[in-house]
């Protein structure tokens, strides 16, 4: 059985998911369409956006490519200081 997720990791997942949702919605894409473009299941996109799933690095690359953005854009949290 996997170890429980620490509160810090859970918060980072949540922030990543919110950022993904912001970018996706900003481009006018549905979860289903992003999934198609990234070759990732829509349910996976939903779980990532809701902070319930930590995506594999390969999925992050595919999602960034599908959104046509640099990978670092998915890790940019509004209002965060550069050292966070």
């Amino acid at each position: 059985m996997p170890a429980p997720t620490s509160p810090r990791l859970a918060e980072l997942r949540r922030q990543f998911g919110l950022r993904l949702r912001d970018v996706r919605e900003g481009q006018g894409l549905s979860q289903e369409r992003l999934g198609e473009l990234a070759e990732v299941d829509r349910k996976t996109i939903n779980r990532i956006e809701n902070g319930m799933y930590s995506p594999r690095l390969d999925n992050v690359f595919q999602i960034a490519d599908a959104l046509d953005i640099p990978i670092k854009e998915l890790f940019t949290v509004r209002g965060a200081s550069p050292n966070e």
Side-chain angles (χ1 to χ4, degrees), residues 5-72:
T5 302
S6 74
R8 172 146 168 76
L9 287 178
E11 177 58 19
L12 291 171
R13 275 188 200 169
R14 187 188 72 78
Q15 289 178 11
F16 182 86
L18 291 174
R19 178 65 183 149
L20 174 57
R21 179 176 291 141
D22 282 349
V23 173
R24 175 184 60 76
E25 289 178 347
Q27 293 191 15
L29 296 172
S30 66
Q31 289 179 345
E32 183 171 353
R33 183 63 183 140
L34 176 56
E36 290 169 357
L37 293 170
E39 299 180 3
V40 174
D41 187 70
R42 181 206 58 84
K43 291 178 185 178
T44 299
I45 300 294
N46 181 272
R47 289 180 186 123
I48 294 168
E49 288 186 356
N50 288 306
M52 299 175 0
Y53 179 75
S54 181
R56 292 183 5 241
L57 188 56
D58 290 351
N59 288 355
V60 175
F61 294 146
Q62 289 171 261
I63 290 168
D65 285 348
L67 293 168
D68 195 29
I69 60 171
I71 293 165
K72 68 180 182 178

